[in-house]
Amino acid sequence: MISYIIRRTLMAIPLLFGITILSFAIIQAAPGGPTTMMMDPSMKPSDREKFEEKYGLNDPVHVQYVKWLGNMIKGDFGDSLIKRGTPVSELIMNRLPNTILLMGASFILAAIIAIPFGIYSAMRPYSKLDNTITVTSFLGVATPNFWFGLILIMFLSVKMGWFPTGGVATLNADFNLWDRIHHLILPAFVLATADMAALTRYTRSSMLEVLHQDYIRTAKSKGFKEKRVVLKHGLRNGLIPIITIFGLMLPSFIGGAAITEKVFAWPGIGQLFIDSAFQRDYPVIMALTVVSAVLVVIGNLVADILYAIFDPRIEY
Amino acid sequence: MTALLELKNLKTHFKRDKVSIPAVDGVDLTINKGETVALVGESGSGKSITSLSIMKLIPSPPGKIVDGSIIFNGKDLVNLNEDDMCKIRGNDISMIFQEPMTSLNPVLTIGEQIIEVLMYHQKMTRAQAVNKAVEMLEMVGFSRAKALINEYPHRLSGGMRQRVMIAIAMSCNPKLLIADEPTTALDVTIQAQILDLMKDLSKQYDTSILIITHDLGVVSEVADKVVVMYCGQVVEEALVDDLFDEPLHPYTIGLMGSIPSLEDETDRLQSIEGTVPPPEHFPTGCRFAPRCPHAFDRCREEAPSLIQMAGGRKARCFLHSDKEATL
Ligand SMILES: Nc1ncnc2c1ncn2[C@@H]1O[C@H](COP(=O)(O)OP(=O)(O)OP(=O)(O)O)[C@@H](O)[C@H]1O
Ligand code: SF4
Ligand SMILES: [Mg+2]
């Protein structure tokens, strides 16, 4: 098992390397640069040149990349071009916990709602509740996060005043657990919807297939009641493919988090990413790309390990 | 001899597009204590649906027992509620299936799959159940039963998995074991071992067996009594020796003609002409008439009933109506 994990981690290195090259190229290909997008328009051309010179922005792309890569390997992501002087790592570390909190809460919310509904749908396919769940999940998949988020803010926060409109906590207040949870509910729910809906569908189809297997007939022939047949003999088999789905959903989940953070003014790395992308803040964008890629790789590794734990047929 | 199980006029139908499909259409069948009864017939004749009806495991919808009774140990299972039926399944009546490769749960250990039944029906503690599971695995022929308890099914061959299935099925000492083509998926030497094992266990524990098979070789090997099914009905019933001495129904005679003989490979495919019609297209009159070499006019107009004959034999054929025993 340990050697399997090490092997998988080593295999991820060339992948991460490739991702950095690609992202670097794409960012450079985008029109404009930090000086045209963000700087004070009244800045003198000579100052602008000085700035570009100082940060090496006029070097050929491959030179810039090698320089960046060398620093990155040493753990130095450089300074933000826009918020001058602030190290990128500091910017990220201030925000990463917020993002992890939001994603974790969403993920748990998605799983604890989607899996039971999916199981029920598979047990009673085409029943009234199953049909309701089906329609709702298609709506959930089809609804864009940002739109759903704005609608909720408009009705539940602005009109009804039940929830705060954004942020992680009330400003300038002492730490208060309920206040934190209160701020978390809407963004976590919005981020969870799309994946909750997809997950319900996956769970339904996976369980539906499992419930037609011969070993389920065996379990019934042993005299077990339906609940035990489904939960003990069906569920573990049905969840095995779902674990892989979790891994595959992670990138879109990170993308969804960025948009949700923006809508809810949630100070996480997603919001930082969007802002930096508009401002062409190259060092921040690159660092965030690496961080998300690492998150995805870790997520998939965890999924593979869980898969191996759940399915005794897998040998390392 | 006392009857353990009596099916009387059992009808199990499937609903498809509002049409009722008579998969099992008036089956009478009696299994006595300790007796092994073979249920034979071509594919689609309703053997599996008969056995699943006894277990009350017909997929519903679309299936439903629409008429008749299933008297087991004096109780009619047709009217029994699901909770009471759960106490009988796996305990008094257990079942093994044709597909040993897929009938065991891949994510549970072999031990767990036996232990759970013992704890559920026999209210054993886990420790007691573990001991009993080892004992059962030894009984079905595993020498390293203790180690096997913690292993998963994917490591075992088909024959070994079928032994595990038998161990599970026999663990609560059932009164009736239903085996739906238990050896069809196995190769010949393994087939013989599994049949021997079933014979031994049934003798040792006085368990009745209902064995479903296509294979008349298997029938002659294990059965006391044979029930031949065609198109959802019983067409002949006889003690095994009587049946092999002198099959009465033209369908049975046809089946006998299709036993593959090892000496003559070319004989293999010489079976009954035509195929079993699906239940929605059962002919009126004798259901075998379109394929029967002896069919005459009456056969196509009138449906023969199952005629009781001397010596406890039964046949559903006009050719034998003169032999009806006056009871
Ligand atoms: N779920 C179902 N829905 C509709 N009809 C069914 C269903 N299951 C079985 N039947 C019908 O019942 C008939 C009898 O099926 P059954 O499985 O009992 O045959 P069998 O004698 O066991 O055949 P085999 O030797 O192939 O196992 C089939 O012809 C089929 O048309
Ligand atoms: S009743 Fe007629 S058709 Fe049917 S089996 Fe007998 S002879 Fe053949
Ligand atoms: Mg069958």
Side-chain angles (χ1 to χ4, degrees):
Chain A
M1 184 65 138
I2 304 271
S3 79
Y4 172 74
I5 296 174
I6 293 173
R7 218 166 52 228
R8 281 295 313 268
T9 313
L10 290 179
M11 269 157 56
I13 291 176
L15 179 73
L16 288 173
F17 186 68
I19 292 174
T20 60
I21 294 184
L22 260 178
S23 337
F24 209 88
I26 292 173
I27 295 164
Q28 296 289 340
T35 50
T36 50
M37 303 301 280
M38 248 336 262
M39 298 283 146
D40 187 350
S42 61
M43 193 186 226
K44 273 187 274 157
S46 60
D47 286 350
R48 177 183 294 188
E49 257 157 45
K50 233 186 268 161
F51 177 88
E52 286 175 346
E53 198 58 45
K54 182 176 169 209
Y55 287 96
L57 295 175
N58 293 329
D59 295 346
V61 177
H62 63 272
V63 175
Q64 290 190 44
Y65 176 73
V66 171
K67 209 155 56 175
W68 174 84
L69 188 68
N71 287 334
M72 197 265 297
I73 289 170
K74 282 184 272 167
D76 177 10
F77 285 107
D79 292 350
S80 164
L81 298 181
I82 305 301
K83 300 181 183 71
R84 243 163 297 166
T86 317
V88 173
S89 49
E90 191 185 310
L91 275 178
I92 292 180
M93 287 324 287
N94 282 342
R95 288 156 172 266
L96 193 59
N98 287 335
T99 295
I100 288 178
L101 175 70
L102 176 64
M103 292 201 350
S106 267
F107 184 80
I108 293 169
L109 195 65
I112 60 174
I113 292 178
I115 292 175
F117 276 122
I119 295 173
Y120 179 89
S121 280
M123 284 168 70
R124 301 276 180 278
Y126 310 112
S127 64
K128 270 209 187 78
L129 183 53
D130 173 40
N131 288 337
T132 313
I133 293 170
T134 302
V135 172
T136 316
S137 11
F138 279 124
L139 284 179
V141 173
T143 310
N145 269 0
F146 75 90
W147 181 82
F148 188 51
L150 289 174
I151 293 289
L152 288 188
I153 291 176
M154 209 165 90
F155 284 100
L156 301 184
S157 305
V158 178
K159 269 231 172 79
M160 311 301 295
W162 291 346
F163 292 97
T165 51
V168 276
T170 307
L171 287 174
N172 304 323
D174 289 336
F175 177 85
N176 174 328
L177 186 64
W178 166 241
D179 182 56
R180 296 295 300 264
I181 294 174
H182 201 201
H183 279 79
L184 183 58
I185 293 175
L186 280 193
F189 184 71
V190 167
L191 177 55
T193 45
D195 290 311
M196 200 190 302
L199 204 54
T200 308
R201 301 301 300 163
Y202 285 125
T203 308
R204 181 186 188 270
S205 67
S206 174
M207 284 303 285
L208 211 50
E209 191 185 322
V210 163
L211 293 180
H212 283 103
Q213 298 294 315
D214 290 339
Y215 53 79
I216 293 297
R217 186 182 57 188
T218 305
K220 286 181 187 159
S221 80
K222 287 171 166 180
F224 298 148
K225 308 228 164 83
E226 188 184 22
K227 198 170 130 198
R228 188 186 179 117
V229 170
V230 172
L231 295 183
K232 179 167 180 186
H233 288 263
L235 188 56
R236 244 186 94 180
N237 285 289
L239 283 184
I240 290 172
I242 301 295
I243 295 171
T244 317
I245 301 285
F246 274 140
L248 293 175
M249 280 183 353
L250 203 55
S252 77
F253 198 58
I254 293 178
I259 292 164
T260 310
E261 286 181 2
K262 187 74 189 158
V263 171
F264 284 93
W266 187 267
I269 58 170
Q271 195 193 27
L272 179 64
F273 192 93
I274 292 182
D275 293 344
S276 312
F278 280 118
Q279 299 162 345
R280 304 286 189 270
D281 196 344
Y282 297 146
V284 180
I285 301 174
M286 282 311 296
L288 286 174
T289 306
V290 173
V291 170
S292 342
V294 167
L295 279 183
V296 170
V297 167
I298 291 175
N300 278 301
L301 184 62
V302 170
D304 281 352
I305 292 169
L306 282 178
Y307 198 108
I309 291 173
F310 265 74
D311 189 344
R313 285 161 296 189
I314 304 286
E315 322 250 335
Y316 317 105
Chain B
M1 271 209 265
T2 40
L4 174 69
L5 177 79
E6 259 187 294
L7 305 188
K8 291 184 190 152
N9 191 33
L10 178 71
K11 292 188 181 178
T12 304
H13 292 193
F14 287 88
K15 270 236 149 57
R16 199 188 293 147
D17 309 327
K18 302 245 156 76
V19 186
S20 201
I21 296 166
V24 172
D25 205 19
V27 164
D28 293 291
L29 190 156
T30 303
I31 302 174
N32 293 315
K33 286 217 166 78
E35 192 179 35
T36 296
V37 175
L39 192 56
V40 299
E42 286 168 290
S43 199
S45 49
K47 307 180 298 292
S48 296
I49 301 299
T50 304
S51 65
L52 289 173
S53 301
I54 299 170
M55 292 292 272
K56 298 267 298 281
L57 285 178
I58 296 293
S60 163
K64 191 170 189 290
I65 298 176
V66 293
D67 198 9
S69 50
I70 303 170
I71 314 292
F72 176 77
N73 236 356
K75 263 186 281 187
D76 187 355
L77 304 187
V78 172
N79 302 321
L80 217 56
N81 65 33
E82 176 64 15
D83 277 4
D84 289 334
M85 201 57 221
C86 280
K87 295 191 187 113
I88 291 179
R89 280 185 212 123
N91 194 26
D92 295 318
I93 308 177
S94 52
M95 191 156 181
I96 59 177
F97 302 93
Q98 180 178 351
E99 306 82 6
M101 296 309 280
T102 50
S103 289
L104 290 168
N105 192 327
V107 301
L108 297 177
T109 61
I110 289 161
E112 179 59 28
Q113 298 188 53
I114 307 178
I115 291 163
E116 59 172 358
V117 190
L118 291 162
M119 291 174 68
Y120 180 77
H121 286 300
Q122 309 280 309
K123 310 288 173 239
M124 287 188 184
T125 63
R126 180 160 279 275
Q128 288 169 329
V130 170
N131 285 335
K132 176 79 181 181
V134 173
E135 197 183 298
M136 292 307 300
L137 287 173
E138 279 166 354
M139 199 166 70
V140 298
F142 287 103
S143 49
R144 28 171 229 111
K146 272 220 172 66
L148 200 62
I149 291 278
N150 296 316
E151 272 180 33
Y152 291 92
H154 69 277
R155 296 183 170 269
L156 302 185
S157 67
M160 287 159 95
R161 288 190 210 188
Q162 200 60 300
R163 283 175 193 273
V164 173
M165 283 299 293
I166 294 175
I168 294 171
M170 294 299 291
S171 60
C172 295
N173 198 2
K175 300 184 178 69
L176 174 65
L177 173 67
I178 301 175
D180 191 348
E181 308 196 26
T183 59
T184 310
L186 306 173
D187 58 48
V188 185
T189 45
I190 311 290
Q191 276 190 17
Q193 290 170 10
I194 297 287
L195 290 176
D196 282 344
L197 175 64
M198 287 176 54
K199 262 201 307 203
D200 287 350
L201 291 177
S202 112
K203 208 169 279 159
Q204 199 174 337
Y205 291 92
D206 205 27
T207 309
S208 305
I209 295 181
L210 176 64
I211 182 168
I212 295 172
T213 178
H214 291 276
D215 186 343
L216 288 169
V218 170
V219 175
S220 64
E221 179 84 2
V222 297
D224 301 313
K225 192 166 81 188
V226 187
V227 173
V228 183
M229 269 186 89
Y230 185 74
C231 288
Q233 295 178 326
V234 174
V235 295
E236 178 157 11
E237 181 185 319
L239 294 178
V240 69
D241 292 337
D242 294 344
L243 190 91
F244 280 95
D245 280 349
E246 195 200 359
L248 295 181
H249 197 282
Y251 178 64
T252 317
I253 296 168
L255 282 183
M256 298 258 183
S258 62
I259 305 181
S261 62
L262 288 175
E263 302 89 57
D264 191 358
E265 273 294 318
T266 53
D267 244 22
R268 249 186 116 81
L269 295 173
Q270 183 233 321
S271 60
I272 314 167
E273 299 250 320
T275 51
V276 188
E280 52 273 38
H281 296 122
F282 285 162
T284 48
C286 175
R287 290 180 183 179
F288 189 54
R291 301 171 71 191
C292 179
H294 308 288
F296 48 102
D297 288 347
R298 188 182 174 194
C299 308
R300 280 178 275 269
E301 279 144 28
E302 197 184 326
S305 54
L306 193 62
I307 299 158
Q308 302 254 5
M309 289 179 281
R313 297 194 67 158
K314 295 175 192 168
R316 189 188 291 275
C317 174
F318 291 127
L319 296 176
H320 302 285
S321 26
D322 56 326
K323 301 191 189 101
E324 177 147 20
T326 37
L327 296 171

